[in-house]
Amino acid sequence: MYNYGLRELYKNNFEDLHCKFYQLERLLQEQLPDLWNHFQGLNLEAHMYASQWFLTLFTAKFPLCMVFHITDLLLSEGLNIIFNVALALLKAPKPPPLFISSLSLLYASLHRHAAASPSQRPSYLHLLLPLHHSATFSSIDSISVGVSLMTCQRWAGKHNREAARAGGNVWKPEDLLSIVCLDSTMRLCLLLSNRFKFRSLGGAGPTLSQIGSSSEVTVADCTSSAEPPREEDAADSGGDHEAHSPLTPERDLPSPLWGQIPPATRRLGDDNAGEDKPGALNDCTDRVMGLLGMGHRLFVPRLLATSKEDLLQADFEGALKFFRVQLPKRYRAAENARRLMEQACNIKVNL
Amino acid sequence: MSETYDFLFKFLVIGNAGTGKSCLLHQFIEKRFKDDSNHTIGVEFGSKIISVVNKSVKLQIWDTAGQERFRSVTRSYYRGAAGALLVYDITSRETYNALTNWLTDARMLASQNIVIILCGNKKDLDADREVTFLEASRFAQENELMFLETSALTGENVEEAFVQCARKILNKIESGELDPERMGSGIQYGDAALRQLRSPRRAQAESVQECGC
């Protein structure tokens, strides 16, 4: 650690550390001027959020899977990779991590949507939520997700009352069409509609990548949207665990969620007629959205706020909380951590 | 999402390492004891709105690292603090003896009018007590501090410590002793319109953000 200069950070009253903060601020100013301006306005300085990044090499808050990557990079490239990782964390990542990692983010997204003018606002909203605490899917999760959904609706109601008073845009309950949940291994768990009819896809549904590489049939099924997609396909590709699923309320409903999704798909089909062909869905996340009959084009760019966007919306406390809570959470999934490191490696840091 | 409050106070929690500063803050905000606490690196942050004498006050609390080596980092947080919790551990005389140093730092680096409350933490460990209540309250009197013995484990007096400190600041504002308008007072008005008037830089940043998206 002598060779890497880690010790220097701590010496002479952290003189070196403050120098790093200065460098980080300059890099920020150079590469993310809008964010830097925002931080300046909030009086948010690097030492308030980045101390732990430097002093603990991201080990204090971030998940282990990410820490391993960082340590590898550090050993091979030296201490300056901290800047790469820091910038990658702050920079707008590409949309892929398809998750809204917390309810507060969800609310922020809803808020943004509701504030948009009716013409810009999509007529339906689709949400993809991860279930953090479940390795295997259980009925408890469905309840908690149901509760989340109710909270969303309550939030929408509250927002509407405020909006009605202030003459803003009203949020209709139909706007929130469906929620898809993924468990911690990114397997599909269940689908919920706004009327709380949900459908379990089994404890070990297909993973995102499996869906990405699985047959064209599933995708074609839902883009045609005339008939409900056969979820047997999905269950089969991930192993047939459907029978063990503890979630049963669905079974009583003759035509559950799928019956409600197609209208949305049709609408989307009208909007982007040529683009929603299976051939255009070249990315596995697109395929998931396709499989679920959802308008990925609506969903992905708007609801997946990037770190930078979140931070630009946040006030002083919100930003600090974001650094402390949301940001580390985002990289719990190994896949997200890997993507982040990829980005970090592609950032040029000229010191 | 919009929270309303009348005042915003910047608070500081200082004291030796291991006295329970982070646990006090956690207990105050979450109403739970933090049993997996680690050394604080640099500084942590928390906020809560409390109501004091019919006013709602937002406390913006900086929880600093107690370890000696972090002093140079934590010192920068003293600037513009309206109140401070000075924490020692009643089962450790060493942490009590260090109070003078902490006090000198606070008085020197924070605003002149900073309101400090002395907290003898770990009150629940009365059997291992090394510092008596009387001794500490005498110290508090001599140095014009408020004083409470607290327990982050049971939650006893934790909220009171923050509330008392906030109340004293409010009293000082009402008596005119403290001027919220003065730079570095650590106090801001909560009213949104007022705040915008007072920090044009922030408004600017917001307008930039609007066209940026």
Side-chain angles (χ1 to χ4, degrees):
Chain A
M1 290 296 117
Y2 281 91
N3 296 340
Y4 287 94
L6 277 174
R7 190 161 173 270
E8 301 298 315
L9 287 181
Y10 283 81
K11 277 165 52 176
N12 297 330
N13 277 334
F14 298 92
E15 223 169 64
D16 217 28
L17 180 69
H18 286 287
C19 174
K20 302 273 183 213
F21 289 152
Y22 180 81
Q23 287 173 310
L24 181 63
E25 298 245 12
R26 294 289 80 75
L27 284 167
L28 206 60
Q29 186 179 12
E30 190 182 295
Q31 303 200 11
L32 297 160
D34 46 350
L35 193 61
W36 187 77
N37 278 328
H38 183 61
F39 283 179
Q40 288 286 300
L42 298 178
N43 285 326
L44 187 73
E45 295 162 19
H47 62 86
M48 297 176 184
Y49 57 88
S51 305
Q52 295 189 347
W53 294 356
F54 286 98
L55 293 177
T56 72
L57 303 175
F58 298 94
T59 54
K61 298 250 161 61
F62 288 94
L64 210 54
C65 61
M66 183 172 150
V67 170
F68 287 151
H69 283 300
I70 295 173
T71 314
D72 279 350
L73 264 179
L74 182 90
L75 291 174
S76 114
E77 307 294 325
L79 201 60
N80 280 345
I81 62 105
I82 297 178
F83 292 116
N84 291 60
V85 179
L87 287 170
L89 280 170
L90 293 169
K91 259 190 184 169
K94 286 179 201 139
L98 260 175
F99 311 111
I100 291 170
S101 54
S102 70
L103 270 183
S104 56
L105 268 179
L106 175 64
Y107 294 150
S109 312
L110 288 172
H111 204 76
R112 241 187 353 257
H113 262 271
S117 72
S119 59
Q120 293 172 325
R121 204 173 55 187
S123 41
Y124 290 95
L125 249 195
H126 305 283
L127 307 170
L128 200 50
L129 288 179
L131 294 173
H132 284 305
H133 310 293
S134 60
T136 54
F137 175 56
S138 77
S139 52
I140 294 165
D141 294 315
S142 68
I143 292 166
S144 67
V145 173
V147 170
S148 311
L149 187 53
M150 275 194 276
T151 336
C152 289
Q153 291 189 325
R154 210 176 305 132
W155 179 89
K158 187 168 156 248
H159 168 86
N160 286 349
R161 281 194 295 282
E162 280 166 17
R165 260 204 307 278
N169 295 310
V170 177
W171 189 254
K172 292 192 290 296
E174 312 87 83
D175 289 341
L176 197 67
L177 184 78
S178 56
I179 292 198
V180 179
C181 294
L182 304 176
D183 72 7
S184 55
T185 54
M186 287 197 237
R187 285 165 189 279
L188 291 171
C189 277
L190 79 166
L191 300 164
L192 291 126
S193 77
N194 56 339
R195 284 168 212 162
F196 304 117
K197 290 172 188 159
F198 41 76
R199 170 157 210 98
S200 163
L201 291 183
T207 64
L208 285 186
S209 51
Q210 275 169 342
I211 292 171
S213 59
S214 72
S215 65
E216 293 285 330
V217 183
T218 42
V219 179
D221 266 350
C222 60
T223 42
S224 73
S225 84
E227 57 188 299
R230 279 164 288 143
E231 82 279 7
E232 285 84 9
D233 291 350
D236 283 347
S237 66
D240 190 10
H241 289 258
E242 177 81 67
H244 304 299
S245 166
L247 191 72
T248 46
E250 238 19 71
R251 318 255 153 123
D252 309 331
L253 300 167
S255 164
L257 186 69
W258 293 114
Q260 299 186 8
I261 285 183
T265 323
R266 271 199 290 278
R267 269 176 185 252
L268 290 163
D270 294 342
D271 290 347
N272 328 305
E275 295 170 358
D276 269 342
K277 294 258 154 31
L281 305 177
N282 49 5
D283 161 325
C284 73
T285 51
D286 285 359
R287 287 184 190 218
V288 176
M289 303 313 288
L291 171 71
L292 301 170
M294 292 183 178
H296 56 282
R297 254 164 264 276
L298 288 183
F299 175 77
V300 177
R302 283 183 172 259
L303 279 178
L304 293 174
T306 60
S307 305
K308 194 178 93 174
E309 282 166 359
D310 286 336
L311 282 166
L312 283 175
Q313 306 260 338
D315 58 4
F316 179 76
E317 281 168 38
L320 283 172
K321 193 169 176 201
F322 179 83
F323 281 118
R324 199 177 69 235
V325 185
Q326 280 108 321
L327 194 62
K329 255 192 208 166
R330 269 184 198 187
Y331 301 100
R332 276 193 199 161
E335 175 62 17
N336 290 1
R338 201 188 55 73
R339 268 184 223 271
L340 179 82
M341 298 318 292
E342 242 174 53
Q343 280 196 325
C345 295
N346 288 329
I347 291 173
K348 282 208 173 61
V349 174
N350 301 315
L351 292 175
Chain B
M1 261 186 198
S2 61
E3 359 174 70
T4 50
Y5 47 85
D6 301 311
F7 287 104
L8 185 149
F9 294 164
K10 190 176 153 188
F11 265 42
L12 206 61
V13 191
I14 50 177
N16 266 23
T19 49
K21 295 178 292 300
S22 300
C23 292
L24 276 175
L25 180 62
H26 195 261
Q27 175 65 256
F28 175 59
I29 288 174
E30 309 280 339
K31 302 226 171 293
R32 262 186 301 123
F33 179 63
K34 190 177 194 225
D35 47 12
D36 60 341
S37 194
N38 286 318
H39 282 301
T40 305
I41 310 285
V43 73
E44 295 280 351
F45 176 83
S47 70
K48 187 172 176 176
I49 298 181
I50 55 173
S51 74
V52 192
V53 279
N54 300 326
K55 292 259 186 340
S56 65
V57 177
K58 178 165 201 166
L59 300 184
Q60 218 174 56
I61 309 157
W62 293 99
D63 167 29
T64 62
Q67 284 171 301
E68 179 64 33
R69 66 169 68 157
F70 284 112
R71 286 280 177 105
S72 76
V73 175
T74 53
R75 277 197 178 119
S76 53
Y77 292 89
Y78 284 77
R79 185 168 33 113
L85 268 77
L86 176 55
V87 187
Y88 72 96
D89 174 357
I90 64 159
T91 67
S92 155
R93 178 150 291 274
E94 191 194 335
T95 65
Y96 176 78
N97 290 339
L99 290 176
T100 343
N101 280 336
W102 286 108
L103 211 55
T104 322
D105 262 18
R107 291 260 150 87
M108 205 166 65
L109 299 162
S111 90
Q112 285 298 307
N113 293 310
I114 188 169
V115 175
I116 303 174
I117 183 163
L118 181 66
C119 295
N121 197 26
K122 310 199 187 176
K123 188 170 190 248
D124 49 289
L125 298 176
D126 202 48
D128 305 322
R129 182 188 281 275
E130 285 183 7
V131 183
T132 64
F133 182 86
L134 199 69
E135 185 181 3
S137 64
R138 205 168 288 149
F139 175 85
Q141 239 169 23
E142 282 164 12
N143 292 283
E144 295 174 341
L145 310 170
M146 290 181 286
F147 174 55
L148 273 180
E149 282 195 342
T150 58
S151 166
L153 180 71
T154 64
E156 188 181 351
N157 278 344
V158 173
E159 176 131 14
E160 285 79 352
F162 287 92
V163 171
Q164 278 197 16
C165 196
R167 192 182 296 138
K168 180 91 171 266
I169 295 171
L170 272 178
N171 288 342
K172 280 196 169 185
I173 293 172
E174 269 160 25
S175 71
E177 214 177 314
L178 265 175
D179 179 12
E181 309 257 344
R182 205 173 48 79
M183 277 288 288
S185 65
I187 302 164
Q188 284 172 25
Y189 287 110
D191 182 59
L194 270 175
R195 241 186 315 168
Q196 267 187 347
L197 276 178
R198 261 166 249 277
S199 56
R201 265 166 90 197
R202 184 188 162 131
Q204 225 173 43
E206 269 164 13
S207 64
V208 166
Q209 172 204 326
E210 267 166 31
C211 49
C213 299

